[in-house]
PDB file of all heavy atoms in Angstrom:
ATOM      1  N   MET A  24     -38.264 -60.055 -22.849  1.00  0.00           N
ATOM      2  CA  MET A  24     -37.096 -59.206 -22.743  1.00  0.00           C
ATOM      3  C   MET A  24     -36.453 -59.053 -24.120  1.00  0.00           C
ATOM      4  O   MET A  24     -36.250 -60.028 -24.832  1.00  0.00           O
ATOM      5  CB  MET A  24     -36.128 -59.853 -21.756  1.00  0.00           C
ATOM      6  CG  MET A  24     -34.881 -59.074 -21.560  1.00  0.00           C
ATOM      7  SD  MET A  24     -33.965 -59.810 -20.179  1.00  0.00           S
ATOM      8  CE  MET A  24     -32.371 -59.296 -20.596  1.00  0.00           C
ATOM      9  N   ALA A  31     -23.714 -57.717 -36.623  1.00  0.00           N
ATOM     10  CA  ALA A  31     -23.796 -57.259 -38.021  1.00  0.00           C
ATOM     11  C   ALA A  31     -24.846 -56.158 -38.174  1.00  0.00           C
ATOM     12  O   ALA A  31     -24.636 -55.188 -38.909  1.00  0.00           O
ATOM     13  CB  ALA A  31     -24.099 -58.428 -38.948  1.00  0.00           C
ATOM     14  N   VAL A  32     -25.951 -56.289 -37.475  1.00  0.00           N
ATOM     15  CA  VAL A  32     -27.004 -55.266 -37.526  1.00  0.00           C
ATOM     16  C   VAL A  32     -26.508 -53.992 -36.840  1.00  0.00           C
ATOM     17  O   VAL A  32     -26.706 -52.881 -37.337  1.00  0.00           O
ATOM     18  CB  VAL A  32     -28.310 -55.785 -36.881  1.00  0.00           C
ATOM     19  CG1 VAL A  32     -29.338 -54.665 -36.745  1.00  0.00           C
ATOM     20  CG2 VAL A  32     -28.866 -56.947 -37.681  1.00  0.00           C
ATOM     21  N   GLN A  33     -25.848 -54.167 -35.700  1.00  0.00           N
ATOM     22  CA  GLN A  33     -25.323 -52.996 -34.994  1.00  0.00           C
ATOM     23  C   GLN A  33     -24.283 -52.260 -35.842  1.00  0.00           C
ATOM     24  O   GLN A  33     -24.248 -51.031 -35.862  1.00  0.00           O
ATOM     25  CB  GLN A  33     -24.720 -53.417 -33.658  1.00  0.00           C
ATOM     26  CG  GLN A  33     -25.767 -53.855 -32.659  1.00  0.00           C
ATOM     27  CD  GLN A  33     -25.146 -54.140 -31.320  1.00  0.00           C
ATOM     28  OE1 GLN A  33     -24.455 -53.289 -30.765  1.00  0.00           O
ATOM     29  NE2 GLN A  33     -25.388 -55.339 -30.813  1.00  0.00           N
ATOM     30  N   MET A  36     -25.997 -50.194 -38.254  1.00  0.00           N
ATOM     31  CA  MET A  36     -26.555 -49.017 -37.600  1.00  0.00           C
ATOM     32  C   MET A  36     -25.472 -47.993 -37.264  1.00  0.00           C
ATOM     33  O   MET A  36     -25.722 -46.796 -37.252  1.00  0.00           O
ATOM     34  CB  MET A  36     -27.291 -49.426 -36.320  1.00  0.00           C
ATOM     35  CG  MET A  36     -28.536 -50.242 -36.588  1.00  0.00           C
ATOM     36  SD  MET A  36     -29.230 -51.023 -35.099  1.00  0.00           S
ATOM     37  CE  MET A  36     -29.437 -49.652 -33.998  1.00  0.00           C
ATOM     38  N   ALA A  44      -7.576 -43.618 -41.628  1.00  0.00           N
ATOM     39  CA  ALA A  44      -7.367 -42.166 -41.591  1.00  0.00           C
ATOM     40  C   ALA A  44      -7.837 -41.585 -40.260  1.00  0.00           C
ATOM     41  O   ALA A  44      -7.187 -40.688 -39.706  1.00  0.00           O
ATOM     42  CB  ALA A  44      -8.092 -41.499 -42.755  1.00  0.00           C
ATOM     43  N   GLU A  48      -5.271 -39.554 -37.864  1.00  0.00           N
ATOM     44  CA  GLU A  48      -5.540 -38.150 -37.525  1.00  0.00           C
ATOM     45  C   GLU A  48      -5.816 -37.990 -36.032  1.00  0.00           C
ATOM     46  O   GLU A  48      -5.318 -37.057 -35.402  1.00  0.00           O
ATOM     47  CB  GLU A  48      -6.706 -37.603 -38.344  1.00  0.00           C
ATOM     48  CG  GLU A  48      -6.423 -37.456 -39.818  1.00  0.00           C
ATOM     49  CD  GLU A  48      -5.289 -36.493 -40.134  1.00  0.00           C
ATOM     50  OE1 GLU A  48      -5.135 -35.469 -39.416  1.00  0.00           O
ATOM     51  OE2 GLU A  48      -4.544 -36.751 -41.092  1.00  0.00           O
ATOM     52  N   ALA A  49      -6.623 -38.882 -35.480  1.00  0.00           N
ATOM     53  CA  ALA A  49      -6.969 -38.783 -34.058  1.00  0.00           C
ATOM     54  C   ALA A  49      -5.725 -38.939 -33.188  1.00  0.00           C
ATOM     55  O   ALA A  49      -5.480 -38.118 -32.289  1.00  0.00           O
ATOM     56  CB  ALA A  49      -8.018 -39.830 -33.689  1.00  0.00           C
ATOM     57  N   ARG A  50      -4.961 -39.964 -33.447  1.00  0.00           N
ATOM     58  CA  ARG A  50      -3.760 -40.188 -32.638  1.00  0.00           C
ATOM     59  C   ARG A  50      -2.774 -39.037 -32.781  1.00  0.00           C
ATOM     60  O   ARG A  50      -2.113 -38.654 -31.816  1.00  0.00           O
ATOM     61  CB  ARG A  50      -3.099 -41.496 -33.032  1.00  0.00           C
ATOM     62  CG  ARG A  50      -3.864 -42.705 -32.545  1.00  0.00           C
ATOM     63  CD  ARG A  50      -3.189 -43.989 -32.964  1.00  0.00           C
ATOM     64  NE  ARG A  50      -3.930 -45.143 -32.517  1.00  0.00           N
ATOM     65  CZ  ARG A  50      -3.901 -46.313 -33.106  1.00  0.00           C
ATOM     66  NH1 ARG A  50      -3.160 -46.492 -34.182  1.00  0.00           N
ATOM     67  NH2 ARG A  50      -4.613 -47.326 -32.629  1.00  0.00           N
ATOM     68  N   PRO A  56      -9.773 -42.371 -31.296  1.00  0.00           N
ATOM     69  CA  PRO A  56     -10.402 -42.629 -32.591  1.00  0.00           C
ATOM     70  C   PRO A  56     -11.911 -42.905 -32.508  1.00  0.00           C
ATOM     71  O   PRO A  56     -12.670 -42.431 -33.364  1.00  0.00           O
ATOM     72  CB  PRO A  56      -9.632 -43.837 -33.118  1.00  0.00           C
ATOM     73  CG  PRO A  56      -8.265 -43.668 -32.525  1.00  0.00           C
ATOM     74  CD  PRO A  56      -8.530 -43.159 -31.138  1.00  0.00           C
ATOM     75  N   ALA A  61     -17.475 -41.199 -33.586  1.00  0.00           N
ATOM     76  CA  ALA A  61     -18.794 -40.849 -33.064  1.00  0.00           C
ATOM     77  C   ALA A  61     -19.229 -39.455 -33.531  1.00  0.00           C
ATOM     78  O   ALA A  61     -20.407 -39.231 -33.829  1.00  0.00           O
ATOM     79  CB  ALA A  61     -18.799 -40.925 -31.539  1.00  0.00           C
ATOM     80  N   VAL A  62     -18.289 -38.527 -33.599  1.00  0.00           N
ATOM     81  CA  VAL A  62     -18.616 -37.193 -34.114  1.00  0.00           C
ATOM     82  C   VAL A  62     -19.020 -37.295 -35.585  1.00  0.00           C
ATOM     83  O   VAL A  62     -20.025 -36.709 -36.007  1.00  0.00           O
ATOM     84  CB  VAL A  62     -17.438 -36.206 -33.927  1.00  0.00           C
ATOM     85  CG1 VAL A  62     -17.682 -34.895 -34.663  1.00  0.00           C
ATOM     86  CG2 VAL A  62     -17.195 -35.947 -32.433  1.00  0.00           C
ATOM     87  N   SER A  67     -22.642 -36.761 -40.026  1.00  0.00           N
ATOM     88  CA  SER A  67     -22.933 -37.102 -41.427  1.00  0.00           C
ATOM     89  C   SER A  67     -23.248 -38.571 -41.680  1.00  0.00           C
ATOM     90  O   SER A  67     -23.520 -38.934 -42.822  1.00  0.00           O
ATOM     91  CB  SER A  67     -21.729 -36.740 -42.297  1.00  0.00           C
ATOM     92  OG  SER A  67     -20.647 -37.606 -42.018  1.00  0.00           O
ATOM     93  N   HIS A  76     -28.338 -27.648 -43.765  1.00  0.00           N
ATOM     94  CA  HIS A  76     -29.089 -26.436 -44.096  1.00  0.00           C
ATOM     95  C   HIS A  76     -28.291 -25.178 -43.735  1.00  0.00           C
ATOM     96  O   HIS A  76     -28.602 -24.094 -44.213  1.00  0.00           O
ATOM     97  CB  HIS A  76     -30.455 -26.438 -43.394  1.00  0.00           C
ATOM     98  CG  HIS A  76     -30.371 -26.368 -41.907  1.00  0.00           C
ATOM     99  ND1 HIS A  76     -30.075 -27.464 -41.120  1.00  0.00           N
ATOM    100  CD2 HIS A  76     -30.527 -25.324 -41.056  1.00  0.00           C
ATOM    101  CE1 HIS A  76     -30.051 -27.093 -39.853  1.00  0.00           C
ATOM    102  NE2 HIS A  76     -30.327 -25.812 -39.783  1.00  0.00           N
ATOM    103  N   GLY A  78     -25.057 -24.959 -44.454  1.00  0.00           N
ATOM    104  CA  GLY A  78     -23.930 -24.915 -45.375  1.00  0.00           C
ATOM    105  C   GLY A  78     -22.706 -25.673 -44.904  1.00  0.00           C
ATOM    106  O   GLY A  78     -21.616 -25.469 -45.433  1.00  0.00           O
ATOM    107  N   MET A  83     -17.406 -34.355 -41.473  1.00  0.00           N
ATOM    108  CA  MET A  83     -17.418 -33.692 -40.171  1.00  0.00           C
ATOM    109  C   MET A  83     -18.195 -32.391 -40.191  1.00  0.00           C
ATOM    110  O   MET A  83     -18.154 -31.626 -39.226  1.00  0.00           O
ATOM    111  CB  MET A  83     -15.989 -33.505 -39.669  1.00  0.00           C
ATOM    112  CG  MET A  83     -15.309 -34.867 -39.489  1.00  0.00           C
ATOM    113  SD  MET A  83     -13.854 -34.860 -38.458  1.00  0.00           S
ATOM    114  CE  MET A  83     -14.563 -34.680 -36.831  1.00  0.00           C
ATOM    115  N   THR A  86     -18.291 -25.883 -41.703  1.00  0.00           N
ATOM    116  CA  THR A  86     -18.888 -24.706 -42.333  1.00  0.00           C
ATOM    117  C   THR A  86     -17.785 -23.855 -42.961  1.00  0.00           C
ATOM    118  O   THR A  86     -16.624 -23.929 -42.533  1.00  0.00           O
ATOM    119  CB  THR A  86     -19.661 -23.842 -41.313  1.00  0.00           C
ATOM    120  OG1 THR A  86     -18.733 -23.358 -40.332  1.00  0.00           O
ATOM    121  CG2 THR A  86     -20.807 -24.608 -40.666  1.00  0.00           C
ATOM    122  N   SER A  91     -12.303 -21.557 -42.752  1.00  0.00           N
ATOM    123  CA  SER A  91     -11.379 -20.413 -42.823  1.00  0.00           C
ATOM    124  C   SER A  91     -10.555 -20.307 -41.547  1.00  0.00           C
ATOM    125  O   SER A  91      -9.338 -20.092 -41.594  1.00  0.00           O
ATOM    126  CB  SER A  91     -12.147 -19.116 -43.058  1.00  0.00           C
ATOM    127  OG  SER A  91     -12.740 -19.129 -44.324  1.00  0.00           O
ATOM    128  N   SER A  97      -4.146 -23.657 -38.699  1.00  0.00           N
ATOM    129  CA  SER A  97      -3.555 -24.998 -38.782  1.00  0.00           C
ATOM    130  C   SER A  97      -2.628 -25.193 -39.965  1.00  0.00           C
ATOM    131  O   SER A  97      -1.790 -26.086 -39.945  1.00  0.00           O
ATOM    132  CB  SER A  97      -4.667 -26.049 -38.891  1.00  0.00           C
ATOM    133  OG  SER A  97      -5.251 -26.017 -40.185  1.00  0.00           O
ATOM    134  N   ILE A  99      -3.732 -26.343 -42.721  1.00  0.00           N
ATOM    135  CA  ILE A  99      -4.324 -27.409 -43.528  1.00  0.00           C
ATOM    136  C   ILE A  99      -4.877 -26.798 -44.811  1.00  0.00           C
ATOM    137  O   ILE A  99      -5.590 -25.797 -44.778  1.00  0.00           O
ATOM    138  CB  ILE A  99      -5.445 -28.143 -42.761  1.00  0.00           C
ATOM    139  CG1 ILE A  99      -4.868 -28.845 -41.533  1.00  0.00           C
ATOM    140  CG2 ILE A  99      -6.164 -29.145 -43.668  1.00  0.00           C
ATOM    141  CD1 ILE A  99      -5.918 -29.411 -40.589  1.00  0.00           C
ATOM    142  N   LEU A 126     -10.217 -27.505 -21.901  1.00  0.00           N
ATOM    143  CA  LEU A 126      -9.464 -28.311 -20.936  1.00  0.00           C
ATOM    144  C   LEU A 126      -9.915 -29.763 -20.883  1.00  0.00           C
ATOM    145  O   LEU A 126     -10.013 -30.374 -19.822  1.00  0.00           O
ATOM    146  CB  LEU A 126      -9.560 -27.676 -19.541  1.00  0.00           C
ATOM    147  CG  LEU A 126      -9.147 -26.197 -19.470  1.00  0.00           C
ATOM    148  CD1 LEU A 126      -9.396 -25.647 -18.077  1.00  0.00           C
ATOM    149  CD2 LEU A 126      -7.711 -26.013 -19.898  1.00  0.00           C
ATOM    150  N   ASP A 151     -23.056 -20.362 -12.491  1.00  0.00           N
ATOM    151  CA  ASP A 151     -23.917 -21.479 -12.103  1.00  0.00           C
ATOM    152  C   ASP A 151     -24.157 -22.473 -13.242  1.00  0.00           C
ATOM    153  O   ASP A 151     -24.845 -23.469 -13.051  1.00  0.00           O
ATOM    154  CB  ASP A 151     -25.275 -20.970 -11.602  1.00  0.00           C
ATOM    155  CG  ASP A 151     -25.142 -20.189 -10.307  1.00  0.00           C
ATOM    156  OD1 ASP A 151     -24.254 -20.523  -9.499  1.00  0.00           O
ATOM    157  OD2 ASP A 151     -25.924 -19.226 -10.112  1.00  0.00           O
ATOM    158  N   ASP A 153     -23.955 -25.488 -15.604  1.00  0.00           N
ATOM    159  CA  ASP A 153     -23.480 -26.868 -15.497  1.00  0.00           C
ATOM    160  C   ASP A 153     -23.733 -27.537 -16.845  1.00  0.00           C
ATOM    161  O   ASP A 153     -24.888 -27.706 -17.252  1.00  0.00           O
ATOM    162  CB  ASP A 153     -24.232 -27.599 -14.380  1.00  0.00           C
ATOM    163  CG  ASP A 153     -23.773 -29.035 -14.193  1.00  0.00           C
ATOM    164  OD1 ASP A 153     -23.243 -29.646 -15.148  1.00  0.00           O
ATOM    165  OD2 ASP A 153     -23.954 -29.567 -13.085  1.00  0.00           O
ATOM    166  N   GLU A 161     -31.936 -27.358 -27.281  1.00  0.00           N
ATOM    167  CA  GLU A 161     -32.302 -28.777 -27.329  1.00  0.00           C
ATOM    168  C   GLU A 161     -31.463 -29.519 -28.362  1.00  0.00           C
ATOM    169  O   GLU A 161     -31.005 -30.637 -28.117  1.00  0.00           O
ATOM    170  CB  GLU A 161     -33.790 -28.935 -27.643  1.00  0.00           C
ATOM    171  CG  GLU A 161     -34.236 -30.375 -27.679  1.00  0.00           C
ATOM    172  CD  GLU A 161     -35.717 -30.537 -27.949  1.00  0.00           C
ATOM    173  OE1 GLU A 161     -36.406 -29.540 -28.204  1.00  0.00           O
ATOM    174  OE2 GLU A 161     -36.182 -31.685 -27.915  1.00  0.00           O
ATOM    175  N   ASP A 168     -25.472 -35.814 -26.367  1.00  0.00           N
ATOM    176  CA  ASP A 168     -25.880 -37.155 -25.939  1.00  0.00           C
ATOM    177  C   ASP A 168     -25.691 -38.185 -27.054  1.00  0.00           C
ATOM    178  O   ASP A 168     -25.245 -39.307 -26.806  1.00  0.00           O
ATOM    179  CB  ASP A 168     -27.336 -37.157 -25.472  1.00  0.00           C
ATOM    180  CG  ASP A 168     -27.535 -36.407 -24.161  1.00  0.00           C
ATOM    181  OD1 ASP A 168     -26.544 -36.153 -23.443  1.00  0.00           O
ATOM    182  OD2 ASP A 168     -28.700 -36.056 -23.863  1.00  0.00           O
ATOM    183  N   TYR A 181     -16.055 -51.739 -32.432  1.00  0.00           N
ATOM    184  CA  TYR A 181     -14.809 -51.660 -33.194  1.00  0.00           C
ATOM    185  C   TYR A 181     -13.560 -51.485 -32.329  1.00  0.00           C
ATOM    186  O   TYR A 181     -12.454 -51.520 -32.842  1.00  0.00           O
ATOM    187  CB  TYR A 181     -14.875 -50.490 -34.177  1.00  0.00           C
ATOM    188  CG  TYR A 181     -16.060 -50.549 -35.110  1.00  0.00           C
ATOM    189  CD1 TYR A 181     -17.165 -49.723 -34.916  1.00  0.00           C
ATOM    190  CD2 TYR A 181     -16.090 -51.431 -36.186  1.00  0.00           C
ATOM    191  CE1 TYR A 181     -18.263 -49.774 -35.779  1.00  0.00           C
ATOM    192  CE2 TYR A 181     -17.168 -51.483 -37.048  1.00  0.00           C
ATOM    193  CZ  TYR A 181     -18.263 -50.650 -36.832  1.00  0.00           C
ATOM    194  OH  TYR A 181     -19.330 -50.702 -37.690  1.00  0.00           O
TER     195      TYR A 181
END
Side-chain angles (χ1 to χ4, degrees):
M24 180 171 155
V32 172
Q33 290 185 54
M36 293 168 54
E48 292 299 325
R50 287 179 181 154
V62 170
S67 69
H76 65 281
M83 298 198 74
T86 63
S91 294
S97 73
I99 296 171
L126 306 175
D151 294 327
D153 181 335
E161 181 178 5
D168 290 343
Y181 304 104

